[in-house]
Amino acid sequence: MTTHDIYLLSPEISMAGLAILLILVDLVVSRKSILTIVAVLGLAVPLALSIVLWFDLTDQAATQMKADFGTEIVTFVVDKFSLFFKFLLVGATALVILASSEYVSKFKNFHGEFFALILFATSGMMLLASTVELITIYVSLELTALPIAALAAFMRDSRSSEAGLKFLILSAISSAVLLYGMVIIYGFTGTTVLADIATQLGGLLDGESAFGGNALLFGVILVIAGFGFKISSVPFQMWAPDVYEGSPTPVTAFLSVASKAAGFAVILRVFYIAFSAEILSVDWSAVFAVLAAVSMTFGNLVAIRQNNIKRMLGYSTIAHAGYLMVGLAAVASRTPDADAIIGPSGVLFYLSGYAITNLAAFSAVIAISNRINSDLIDSFAGMARRAPFLAGVLGFSMISLIGVPPTVGFMSKIYIFGAAVDTNLEWLAVTGMVNSVISAYYYLRVVKVMYLREPIDDAPVGSALPMKLAVMVTMAGTAFFGIYPTPLINLARSAVDVLVS
Amino acid sequence: MIELAHLQILSAGLFAIGTYGVLARRSAVLILMSIELMLNAVNINLVGYAAFVDFDEATRSFGQVLVIFVITIAAAELALAIAIILRLYRNRSTVNVDEIDLMKW
């Protein structure tokens, strides 16, 4: 391991270091609100290091900086793709920490550990965005899953423990399935490095190995199943609503945004680099197309019946995983003259838009439900009079989740459905649009309850300063990128170049 | 003489037993043991491939390396799971997953 390797790993190392620092600071300070400030300010370090890496990359006009840790086997790369996700993850984590500042005052102790676990999970996700090797992918996946399970069980009451146990058991099963798939691929190719897998498969698929093709496809399907759990796509979605409902609300926000982003990062990396052979990509893109259609339909239909807003947002993330998988299904090899990066860049653009919108929604939900001690949609009645600002933000983010202009949700849906049309998947785009209409029903119900119902109680609902900051930043992002999305689209397009070259 | 196919069959069988255990067992602890079976099935497969298939010299040891990681992470996972199960037992006096249904499974 040379200094250059450490330099490349510095955002992750500083993230883990910050987590340890928070545990230590927690021991010496008595005013726990200092921890929030330390955590948010400390996040500037990994962010700054990522920015330095970004400019270093553009200076050298290199597409990738590789770390081989002295073994000549590349396991870790820094490129625009991984840095895009690092910016997204650090930003989302900062907003989650801001939004949880008020919530953690409910805990009697372990404030520092709460933030530390979030940061450990984030460092795992950042690793996940950068790895190009199956062993490292597995280890980073577990590094994200274990802290999240602990966070889900953090409240230590029955619901929270139940959520933690469900998450942990189902994530262990899914990683066993994922590993079995990885082993089959390893058995075929003799390597775990994604780029080498692609070369080896190229040789295998040209030959006449009829049995080999099927067994290999079985491995690919198992890998899809393992990753499908991470992004909560149907039929691996059953954990999502329960865990979302039972976990502390900031953890729910973190799960729905950061965990999903990391999942899509690793899926894009694995499928576009290792399984990019055309004969394979036709198969897996068909699988993703079907999963996308089923996920969005299931998520939207079941969300209609929910009374708990966290559970409703849980089903809504399943639906959004469906919209996102439209971008995975839209591979360029389906059509000869399609824009090669439209599918993956659509995924990145949709992910960042969804992250901003969903964080706005969750920040508002945390702020309101923390004061009124209820997650039921009915208890949000008349919130427009009790907390006009928070209700306005929640209503605006619901509109963005439906995909109505002038919000980023609209722009990203246009882009990703456009990708589907460009790659001969018109039926999927139509399914997506029909689903957006269905989803309007339950999103607008929240708006209706807040604006048209009489309040249960007249006491105004206030919020603390960090909370207001988180709400304002996300709200401004949702509106800004809804009106002027070009910078975000350009960033997403330059990030995915490395996948298709 | 043991060949790769024997190990693959053993591994597939173990994985199937593990999956059955996960689906059919009602105690959370037994579900964890079944998950352990699934992971060990993966390990057998990995060691089998690494030992029998004629891979590249440079990447030969990858299978064994992954086995070590799987064992280590499974231990960490189990420690966390047992802690959560103990917590749940104090709250609900049961570890039966059929009764852990505050939110619909």
Side-chain angles (χ1 to χ4, degrees):
Chain A
M1 199 168 195
T2 61
T3 29
H4 185 64
D5 294 339
I6 294 174
Y7 167 57
L8 296 185
L9 267 170
S10 56
E12 286 82 0
I13 293 176
S14 59
M15 186 65 93
L18 180 62
I20 294 166
L21 179 76
L22 278 171
I23 298 178
L24 293 178
V25 171
D26 187 29
L27 293 176
V28 293
V29 298
S30 51
R31 277 191 56 216
K32 300 301 177 195
S33 54
I34 294 174
L35 288 171
T36 315
I37 302 168
V38 174
V40 173
L41 291 182
L43 279 175
V45 178
L47 184 67
L49 288 167
S50 304
I51 293 172
V52 169
L53 283 169
W54 177 282
F55 282 112
D56 204 7
L57 207 59
T58 38
D59 276 354
Q60 295 176 1
T63 51
Q64 271 183 344
M65 290 192 278
K66 296 173 181 171
D68 59 12
F69 307 115
T71 54
E72 291 182 11
I73 294 157
V74 176
T75 54
F76 184 89
V77 296
V78 171
D79 48 27
K80 285 187 174 176
F81 180 76
S82 64
L83 288 172
F84 180 91
F85 278 100
K86 281 173 198 178
F87 295 140
L88 184 65
L89 291 168
V90 173
T93 310
L95 289 167
V96 167
I97 287 176
L98 276 181
S100 56
S101 63
E102 200 175 328
Y103 195 91
V104 292
S105 57
K106 275 190 191 173
F107 306 156
K108 283 192 206 69
N109 40 22
F110 304 128
H111 294 81
E113 284 80 357
F114 181 82
F115 293 129
L117 283 171
I118 289 184
L119 295 179
F120 278 130
T122 313
S123 70
M125 291 166 188
M126 288 163 76
L127 278 173
L128 210 48
S130 269
T131 54
V132 287
E133 197 262 348
L134 292 179
I135 300 175
T136 330
I137 286 175
Y138 171 65
V139 175
S140 336
L141 262 181
E142 293 296 327
L143 180 55
T144 62
L146 294 187
I148 288 178
L151 282 168
F154 208 84
M155 295 293 276
R156 303 173 44 158
D157 56 10
S158 307
R159 277 172 180 274
S160 184
S161 313
E162 187 180 329
L165 184 67
K166 282 177 178 172
F167 183 80
L168 194 61
I169 287 183
L170 290 169
S171 111
I173 296 169
S174 79
S175 37
V177 172
L178 175 69
L179 274 172
Y180 207 90
M182 284 180 175
V183 170
I184 291 175
I185 289 154
Y186 167 71
F188 268 97
T189 57
T191 177
T192 54
V193 182
L194 296 182
D196 295 348
I197 289 176
T199 353
Q200 295 280 346
L201 285 183
L204 275 179
L205 293 169
D206 286 342
E208 60 282 354
S209 57
F211 166 73
N214 291 335
L216 187 67
L217 204 58
F218 182 58
V220 174
I221 297 285
L222 287 180
V223 171
I224 293 179
F227 286 141
F229 168 84
K230 271 274 140 202
I231 56 170
S232 66
S233 102
V234 172
F236 321 105
Q237 89 297 352
M238 57 296 214
W239 62 279
D242 293 350
V243 174
Y244 278 43
E245 187 186 339
S247 307
T249 320
V251 177
T252 311
F254 186 64
L255 253 179
S256 74
V257 172
S259 182
K260 182 158 284 179
F264 274 98
V266 72
I267 289 180
L268 281 173
R269 189 78 87 171
V270 168
F271 283 88
Y272 272 83
I273 293 182
F275 306 140
S276 53
E278 195 174 325
I279 184 166
L280 270 179
S281 71
V282 170
D283 287 333
W284 58 253
S285 84
V287 174
F288 278 126
V290 173
L291 289 184
V294 178
S295 290
M296 54 178 118
T297 314
F298 175 86
N300 283 325
L301 289 180
V302 184
I304 290 176
R305 285 180 46 85
Q306 303 307 318
N307 298 318
N308 182 310
I309 192 156
K310 278 160 81 181
R311 204 174 170 84
M312 185 208 93
L313 285 169
Y315 281 107
S316 125
T317 46
I318 298 173
H320 281 275
Y323 300 136
L324 277 158
M325 275 190 291
V326 172
L328 292 179
V331 288
S333 57
R334 301 184 65 95
T335 43
D337 52 348
D339 180 0
I341 58 171
I342 189 145
S345 65
V347 173
L348 262 63
F349 178 43
Y350 196 103
L351 258 180
S352 27
Y354 173 69
I356 300 170
T357 310
N358 220 28
L359 282 172
F362 268 109
S363 310
V365 168
I366 294 170
I368 296 173
S369 67
N370 200 35
R371 293 292 170 97
I372 61 173
N373 276 323
S374 168
D375 294 330
L376 297 180
I377 295 177
D378 287 338
S379 60
F380 281 57
M383 206 42 78
R385 264 181 265 167
R386 297 175 67 188
F389 176 60
L390 291 175
V393 172
L394 188 53
F396 188 67
S397 57
M398 290 295 142
I399 285 172
S400 178
L401 285 173
I402 302 169
V404 174
T407 58
V408 69
F410 168 72
M411 288 295 172
S412 44
K413 265 192 185 146
I414 290 273
Y415 193 91
I416 209 156
F417 292 155
V421 173
D422 281 2
T423 48
N424 286 340
L425 283 167
E426 286 87 354
W427 66 272
L428 198 54
V430 172
T431 318
M433 277 181 267
V434 171
N435 266 290
S436 303
V437 177
I438 298 174
S439 74
Y441 176 80
Y442 62 87
Y443 288 130
L444 287 179
R445 190 161 71 109
V446 178
V447 179
K448 189 194 95 182
V449 167
M450 286 193 305
Y451 279 87
L452 300 181
R453 284 242 205 111
E454 286 301 310
I456 310 168
D457 184 356
D458 281 330
V461 176
S463 53
L465 180 69
M467 197 77 240
K468 281 205 181 95
L469 194 63
V471 171
M472 276 191 278
V473 170
T474 46
M475 162 94 180
T478 311
F480 176 77
F481 290 120
I483 295 161
Y484 185 59
T486 326
L488 198 54
I489 292 177
N490 285 341
L491 202 61
R493 289 184 70 89
S494 71
V496 292
D497 264 340
V498 68
L499 290 183
V500 288
S501 58
Chain B
M1 186 63 199
I2 290 184
E3 291 166 21
L4 178 59
H6 294 120
L7 290 176
Q8 283 179 319
I9 291 165
L10 172 65
S11 155
L14 259 184
F15 197 83
I17 294 171
T19 316
Y20 171 77
V22 164
L23 297 174
R25 291 286 151 200
R26 299 168 72 200
S27 159
V29 178
L30 288 178
I31 291 180
L32 283 180
M33 289 169 68
S34 308
I35 292 172
E36 223 40 36
L37 272 188
M38 291 168 84
L39 289 173
N40 282 327
V42 172
N43 286 345
I44 291 175
N45 220 348
L46 269 171
V47 175
Y49 279 127
F52 285 98
V53 185
D54 213 12
F55 290 141
D56 226 351
E57 201 59 47
T59 59
R60 194 156 195 144
S61 55
F62 279 14
Q64 281 113 326
V65 172
L66 186 46
V67 169
I68 304 283
F69 276 111
V70 173
I71 293 172
T72 321
I73 291 172
E77 209 155 39
L78 211 61
L80 184 57
I82 294 288
I84 295 177
I85 289 175
L86 277 179
R87 189 72 245 169
L88 208 56
Y89 185 75
R90 282 198 202 160
N91 289 334
R92 307 282 309 271
S93 309
T94 177
V95 289
N96 186 335
V97 289
D98 289 345
E99 292 169 37
I100 304 175
D101 56 356
L102 275 182
M103 298 160 292
K104 243 182 247 138
W105 177 265

